[in-house]
Amino acid sequence: MDYIIRIIPQMLEGSIVTAQVFFITIVLSIPLGVLLSLGRVSSIALLQKVIGLYVWLLRGTPLMLQLFFVYYALPAVGIRLDDFEAALVAFVLNYAAYFCEIFRAGIQSVPQGQYEAARTLGMDYVQTMRRIVLPQVFRLILPPVSNETITLVKDTSLVYVLAMNDLMRTTRNLVQRDFDITPFLVAALFYLVATLLLTMLFERLEKRFSRYDQ
Amino acid sequence: MMNKIEARNICKQFQNLEVLKGIDLEVAEGEVVAVIGPSGGGKSTLLRCLNKLETIDRGSIVIDGETLVKDTSSGVEYAPEKDSRRIACKMGMVFQQFNLFPHMTVLENLIEAPVQVQKRNKEEVIREAEALLAKVGLLDKRDVYPRKLSGGQQQRVAIARALAMKPSIMLFDEPTSSLDPELTGEVLKTMRELAEEKMTMVVVTHEMGFAREVATKVVFMADGHVQAQGTPQEIFENPSNERLKAFLNVILK
Ligand SMILES: Nc1ncnc2c1ncn2[C@@H]1O[C@H](COP(=O)(O)OP(=O)(O)OP(=O)(O)O)[C@@H](O)[C@H]1O
Ligand SMILES: [Mg+2]
């Protein structure tokens, strides 16, 4: 027990990096995903294709490969990012692709009649999307977004490969230093608490957004 | 008297399917036009062309004296997007499937467009919306979500929502066709009251009773043409057109 209390400060420090990657990725990739999905369902064929290709590339290759690519390959074309920035770029681009597909499916499941009703009431594209379609989409997509978010908590551990001192690397260092596997258990607990909090948050959101369903 | 709707030579094709083959439709102020005809005859398509849910291939449409679309030698020319949206929403539309916004309460459904589109004062719009709800007998459902309502109630809300925009014309596309028989009455009653207030209406319907008793003019459409039109008397009591006779025989049996 003493040992656990001693290592907790260091592990919390590692958690800060993990939390930063997580929150910044969420805050940037969701809006980017919304924009991409709007392009994906737009009537502009070229835009649809380009975004389709983007989604295919980013969902079709491992996130770890994308991390390496941003960190090691981009400098070759003159884009040099430090490890934190590189991690964020890779995470945001990757998660935006997943969110794009979730939102696309959500948007396409809103019945045509909703668009038509909005049109006959004189609403323009922006009003229709903002007031009628997206609010309905948000309710539909909460479960898959919740899944994706929980996956992200765990995916953040991939920044390990860029030698960032996140929760995972801190844990591993402690284990190697002290020849004790307790830090692994504590780390598991940290991840579990984070995903539990998120699960509870999304349950509340789902309840709020589904009030018109009951 | 000026016509509220003047549609000339409307032609509309879906891929290879010619659905409207030169339709003329005139609707005078205060008229209630019932559009009847066999399934697939293009009735819904005609309504949807009037408010630009579908664009036409040829012909012209003038609403309330404003040109929505005109024929030119090189095809049709629509009014600019903003104007055509404004012209189209002079017509309130009621759909077979209601199409209420499920994430909004009844009241929110009504005030959404007047506030967001017409930028009218919210308090005033709410007062008017409540009056409309009272009129369709649903004021007590003001804060309920659509899913909690019966089909007939939803359709009456949809009518009130369209009226909240103060349209000068109301279009109905089979407003009672997806309702259980015992619920059609309440919707027809609301429409009847609208007609009595001299609202200009175009109603696509299979309710021959409504067409006969409420319509001032009946239009019979089949195969993309207006086959016959006239007063309910002329259409139902003395049909001269063969297709119309056959249609009435089947439907009034
Ligand atoms: N968006 C579309 N794309 C292709 N074909 C269509 C489309 N909309 C309608 N049609 C076709 O056009 C024809 C006329 O359809 P419309 O819905 O106007 O008929 P209707 O008279 O309203 O029939 P009903 O009484 O069944 O509602 C039908 O054959 C229909 O399949
Ligand atoms: Mg129809």
Side-chain angles (χ1 to χ4, degrees), chain B residues 4 50 56 82 87 115 157 161 179 210 212 242 250:
Chain B
K4 285 273 169 184
L50 290 179
I56 60 176
K82 243 186 149 162
I87 297 169
V115 172
V157 172
R161 178 177 70 177
L179 298 178
F210 180 84
R212 197 193 287 254
E242 288 307 318
V250 174

Side-chain angles (χ1 to χ4, degrees), chain B residues 58-190:
Chain B
R58 295 199 45 200
S60 65
I61 299 174
V62 178
I63 304 297
D64 231 351
E66 291 193 89
T67 302
L68 174 67
V69 54
K70 63 182 181 206
D71 229 344
T72 69
S73 49
S74 58
V76 293
E77 191 180 304
Y78 273 90
E81 173 62 23
K82 243 186 149 162
D83 291 321
S84 54
R85 197 163 51 231
R86 182 180 50 78
I87 297 169
C89 81
K90 289 174 173 217
M91 292 169 281
M93 174 97 163
V94 175
F95 301 86
Q96 184 176 347
Q97 298 300 336
F98 327 135
N99 295 341
L100 292 178
F101 303 131
H103 59 302
M104 296 182 180
T105 64
V106 165
L107 185 76
E108 287 166 351
N109 264 276
L110 264 70
I111 67 173
E112 176 66 16
V115 172
Q116 299 292 330
V117 177
Q118 295 177 325
K119 312 281 183 214
R120 282 159 53 196
N121 174 277
K122 191 167 171 182
E123 271 71 54
E124 184 193 313
V125 171
I126 290 178
R127 269 199 307 279
E128 288 176 13
E130 287 172 341
L132 282 171
L133 285 176
K135 196 166 118 184
V136 299
L138 291 170
L139 188 53
D140 58 325
K141 303 289 184 196
R142 177 184 188 279
D143 299 314
V144 167
Y145 287 93
R147 219 154 292 197
K148 285 237 179 79
L149 302 177
S150 73
Q153 291 172 328
Q154 289 194 45
Q155 194 60 298
R156 285 185 283 154
V157 172
I159 294 172
R161 178 177 70 177
L163 290 173
M165 291 290 280
K166 304 189 190 234
S168 66
I169 302 157
M170 286 286 283
L171 308 178
F172 296 82
D173 190 3
E174 301 197 27
T176 57
S177 291
S178 53
L179 298 178
D180 294 335
E182 71 270 21
L183 297 178
T184 59
E186 58 190 67
V187 172
L188 291 175
K189 175 167 162 278
T190 301

Side-chain angles (χ1 to χ4, degrees), chain B residues 6-72:
Chain B
E6 267 188 42
R8 297 253 168 274
N9 189 34
I10 306 292
C11 298
K12 172 70 185 175
Q13 186 164 342
F14 291 113
Q15 289 90 42
N16 302 322
L17 183 69
E18 249 187 294
V19 179
L20 303 178
K21 304 171 187 167
I23 301 273
D24 291 325
L25 181 72
E26 278 175 23
V27 182
E29 182 158 10
E31 241 185 335
V32 177
V33 176
V35 181
I36 62 171
S39 185
K43 305 181 298 295
S44 299
T45 306
L46 174 62
L47 277 199
R48 296 165 57 81
C49 286
L50 290 179
N51 62 12
K52 213 189 158 200
L53 285 178
E54 307 283 359
T55 52
I56 60 176
D57 304 325
R58 295 199 45 200
S60 65
I61 299 174
V62 178
I63 304 297
D64 231 351
E66 291 193 89
T67 302
L68 174 67
V69 54
K70 63 182 181 206
D71 229 344
T72 69

Side-chain angles (χ1 to χ4, degrees), chain A residues 29-41 47 51 100 103:
Chain A
S29 65
I30 288 185
L32 184 57
V34 171
L35 288 179
L36 287 171
S37 67
L38 290 176
R40 191 96 167 85
V41 301
L47 195 59
I51 295 173
C100 168
F103 296 139

